[in-house]
Amino acid sequence: MVFESAPIVVDGRAHMLGRLASIVAKELLMGQHLVVVRTEQIVISGSLVRNKVKFESFLKKRTNTNPKKGPIHYRSPARMFWRVVRGMLPHKTFRGQQAMSRLTCYEGVPPPFDKKKKMVVPQALKVQRLKPGRRHCLLGRLASEFGWKHGALVDKMEAKRRVKAAEFYAAKKTDNIQRAQAMDEADLSEVLPVLEKFGHYYPPAEKMDDDDDDDDEEEEEEGEEGEEPAEGE
């Protein structure tokens, strides 16, 4: 990723858990602020039964004298992903604590991130990293098996958000088409002389099309001249 001053919103859907966490951890150490949304759609390799067995063994790890002292077993997908990233950082040092403070995780896509551009990490996508036919499960399904009770609510809110997003995109497409038509049909005969006085020149559309045709013809001629003769000629 390229460093940006504003937080980068990452869409966790269809990403592999470990692959995404490792890349996120590296970016946090480099000073990048990240927001990971739709963590319930993150993919874990292995079947649901296998991952349930592994998580059950993890739940048995606790402090015998006082279980409140840890380890803490988070049940929500956002906190589960947050904990995976924490395990890849030196979180007990000041540098690691500052890196963790740059990470925010959510289930679903809450506002204002529903209206912001969301990024994906190609190196961590399931289609790139998991062989077709291999068993896998979703982080949200695993969390629901162990006490997370908000999966249905998140799905309901996501359905509403997708409907609004589709309406917004349809309106945006119509807006762009109307704007392009208005620019093509605009009469600039009165404005162009004024702009030319200040050093701005906008060639007519017909002339621009003729120039493009001339450039294409020149490229074709250069290609014909540059052809090497076949051997034996």
Side-chain angles (χ1 to χ4, degrees):
M1 295 182 186
V2 180
F3 181 81
E4 297 183 13
S5 57
I8 295 177
V9 182
V10 179
D11 187 358
R13 179 181 175 273
H15 286 73
M16 301 302 296
L17 177 63
R19 297 274 182 176
L20 179 61
S22 62
I23 295 172
V24 166
K26 190 65 176 179
E27 292 296 324
L28 294 174
L29 288 173
M30 294 172 65
Q32 181 65 59
H33 289 260
L34 294 172
V35 178
V36 183
V37 297
R38 289 212 281 188
T39 53
E40 78 280 358
Q41 297 291 329
I42 292 177
V43 179
I44 311 174
S45 60
S47 65
L48 179 63
V49 174
R50 179 183 177 85
N51 284 293
K52 284 176 66 176
V53 171
K54 291 169 67 176
F55 198 82
E56 285 174 354
S57 65
F58 170 62
L59 292 178
K60 296 177 182 178
K61 293 177 172 60
R62 63 174 193 157
T63 304
N64 285 334
T65 55
N66 188 358
K68 290 183 180 179
K69 291 185 178 180
I72 306 300
H73 309 103
Y74 298 109
R75 300 310 206 276
S76 70
R79 295 302 281 179
M80 291 168 75
F81 177 76
W82 178 89
R83 197 179 195 281
V84 172
V85 175
R86 190 187 70 172
M88 299 180 181
L89 293 172
H91 63 95
K92 293 186 179 180
T93 65
F94 179 76
R95 177 168 174 256
Q97 291 171 1
Q98 292 296 308
M100 286 302 300
S101 67
R102 302 185 194 106
L103 175 64
T104 311
C105 305
Y106 294 102
E107 294 96 9
V109 188
F113 306 110
D114 56 342
K115 296 182 180 178
K116 291 188 177 182
K117 183 178 180 180
K118 288 171 277 294
M119 310 291 287
V120 298
V121 182
Q123 301 92 328
L125 287 173
K126 181 176 77 73
V127 294
Q128 295 284 347
R129 292 300 180 182
L130 196 64
K131 186 177 180 180
R134 295 294 187 185
R135 295 180 180 178
H136 60 275
C137 66
L138 298 180
L139 187 60
R141 174 68 190 280
L142 181 64
S144 298
E145 295 286 335
F146 287 95
W148 185 53
K149 301 178 181 179
H150 305 292
L153 176 61
V154 171
D155 293 340
K156 182 179 178 181
M157 295 175 68
E158 278 293 286
K160 292 181 179 179
R161 182 191 65 81
R162 283 192 290 268
V163 170
K164 291 182 179 179
E167 293 174 354
F168 170 80
Y169 183 65
K172 183 179 178 181
K173 285 175 63 177
T174 305
D175 221 21
N176 291 338
I177 293 172
Q178 292 176 351
R179 183 175 298 177
Q181 291 176 351
M183 292 180 67
D184 293 339
E185 298 171 0
D187 184 13
L188 302 177
S189 58
E190 298 180 359
V191 183
L192 285 177
V194 179
L195 294 175
E196 290 177 0
K197 292 180 181 178
F198 294 94
H200 300 284
Y201 175 67
Y202 297 91
E206 297 177 357
K207 187 177 181 181
M208 292 179 67
D209 296 338
D210 295 341
D211 293 341
D212 294 339
D213 295 338
D214 295 340
D215 293 339
D216 295 338
E217 292 176 359
E218 291 178 0
E219 290 178 359
E220 291 177 0
E221 292 175 359
E222 291 177 358
E224 293 175 357
E225 293 176 358
E227 290 181 357
E228 298 181 359
E231 294 183 1
E233 292 184 359

